[in-house]
Amino acid sequence: MFLDAHIDFYPPSDSPTGQASDSEMYLAFGYGADVIANVDGVRPLVTPRAAALIGHRDSDEWRDTGVALSATDALVVCVDVTIYNPLLDPDGEARRNLTGCLIDAFTARAAS
């Protein structure tokens, strides 16, 4: 499971920042230079069918990379839960409720 606000599926040459952090799922799925995407002769490092990319929020990024990502078997889920501040939850009740909701949501998705 890859939980991030960005998809990170840019080919390194198309990265908007020039950083490898824009390309980690692209590389993990076996695309790109052998030195990174084919470690020890294992390509892909992560089988797209076994991957779930959760939480992307950037519609411009989805426009740029979504078509290529859609051609894989990866599960892509657009979700925005909340901003959790533990300092405002001294007894942990909100944390337990939020965690329970997430577990229920992902369990229901996995069962379908």
Side-chain angles (χ1 to χ4, degrees), residues 74-93:
L75 172 65
V76 180
V77 180
C78 188
V79 61
D80 186 1
V81 178
T82 187
I83 296 173
Y84 173 75
N85 185 337
L87 296 177
L88 300 177
D89 185 28
D91 65 358
E93 181 179 0

Side-chain angles (χ1 to χ4, degrees), residues 11-102:
S13 60
D14 294 343
S15 163
T17 66
Q19 302 294 318
S21 62
D22 291 333
S23 306
E24 56 217 49
M25 294 312 301
Y26 183 86
L27 298 167
F29 285 0
Y31 303 102
D34 283 351
V35 68
I36 298 173
N38 193 22
V39 176
D40 294 331
V42 178
R43 181 190 296 259
L45 299 173
V46 175
T47 304
R49 172 171 275 163
L53 287 72
I54 300 170
H56 75 88
R57 64 170 187 239
D58 191 332
S59 59
D60 289 339
E61 184 180 18
W62 181 250
R63 185 193 67 239
D64 292 345
T65 64
V67 173
L69 184 57
S70 294
T72 73
D73 291 331
L75 172 65
V76 180
V77 180
C78 188
V79 61
D80 186 1
V81 178
T82 187
I83 296 173
Y84 173 75
N85 185 337
L87 296 177
L88 300 177
D89 185 28
D91 65 358
E93 181 179 0
R95 174 188 46 83
R96 287 187 296 278
N97 290 336
L98 176 60
T99 301
C101 287
L102 289 171

